[in-house]
Amino acid sequence: MKTKVLLLIGMFLLGASSVFAQTKTEKFEVKGNCGMCKARIEKAAKSVDGVISANWEQETKMLTVKFDTQKTDVHKIQMAIAKVGHDTPMHKAPDDVYNSLPGCCHYDRSDTKEVKKSDSHMH
């Protein structure tokens, strides 16, 4: 009986440690300007299933996101953020969504447009 209890405890501890091993923290740039941008970016990141936490720093334009690697990845998180109007290293926000943001949220997009222009010349 004692052996079975110890075995069950051991299995539980192994299972619990594997849950923690699936958590990853990533940091990447997200274009934005103000407090409204911060709220929108963090809400979009947290809307992705598997995201545990998201914190965007207005000064550095960096988002720190903690997520479950079994449920999502950086690509999906950046895609969700771009869909609400904010450019990320992997995804450019659609122009119509960006243009519909409040004026104070319009950030400098010259970096991302340069990339797009050079891409079109390569084809």
Side-chain angles (χ1 to χ4, degrees):
M1 181 69 179
K2 203 173 191 179
T3 309
K4 284 184 180 178
V5 171
L6 287 174
L7 186 63
L8 282 173
I9 291 171
M11 286 171 48
F12 172 77
L13 291 174
L14 279 173
S17 67
S18 68
V19 168
F20 294 117
Q22 298 168 345
T23 302
K24 187 173 185 181
T25 301
E26 288 281 338
K27 195 171 186 176
F28 53 86
E29 183 183 26
V30 178
K31 303 276 187 160
N33 288 329
C34 64
M36 285 194 296
C37 293
K38 178 179 174 64
R40 188 181 308 104
I41 291 164
E42 291 175 358
K43 182 179 178 182
K46 290 175 187 172
S47 74
V48 178
D49 186 38
V51 173
I52 299 157
S53 66
N55 183 42
W56 184 73
E57 293 292 330
Q58 187 174 332
E59 299 76 31
T60 62
K61 313 290 187 224
M62 296 300 285
L63 177 72
T64 303
V65 65
K66 187 174 183 180
F67 59 95
D68 181 341
T69 58
Q70 298 293 317
K71 294 183 178 178
T72 194
D73 56 34
V74 176
H75 169 74
K76 289 177 187 168
I77 298 166
Q78 289 192 22
M79 197 180 328
I81 294 166
K83 282 181 183 175
V84 298
H86 296 274
D87 295 345
T88 70
M90 293 179 174
H91 297 280
K92 182 178 184 281
D95 289 336
D96 60 328
V97 177
Y98 170 80
N99 292 332
S100 69
L101 294 176
C104 61
C105 297
H106 286 190
Y107 49 87
D108 179 15
R109 296 185 101 191
S110 59
D111 295 347
T112 45
K113 286 188 177 178
E114 289 301 318
V115 172
K116 288 288 178 190
K117 285 178 186 170
S118 63
D119 283 350
S120 63
H121 292 301
M122 295 173 132
H123 297 288

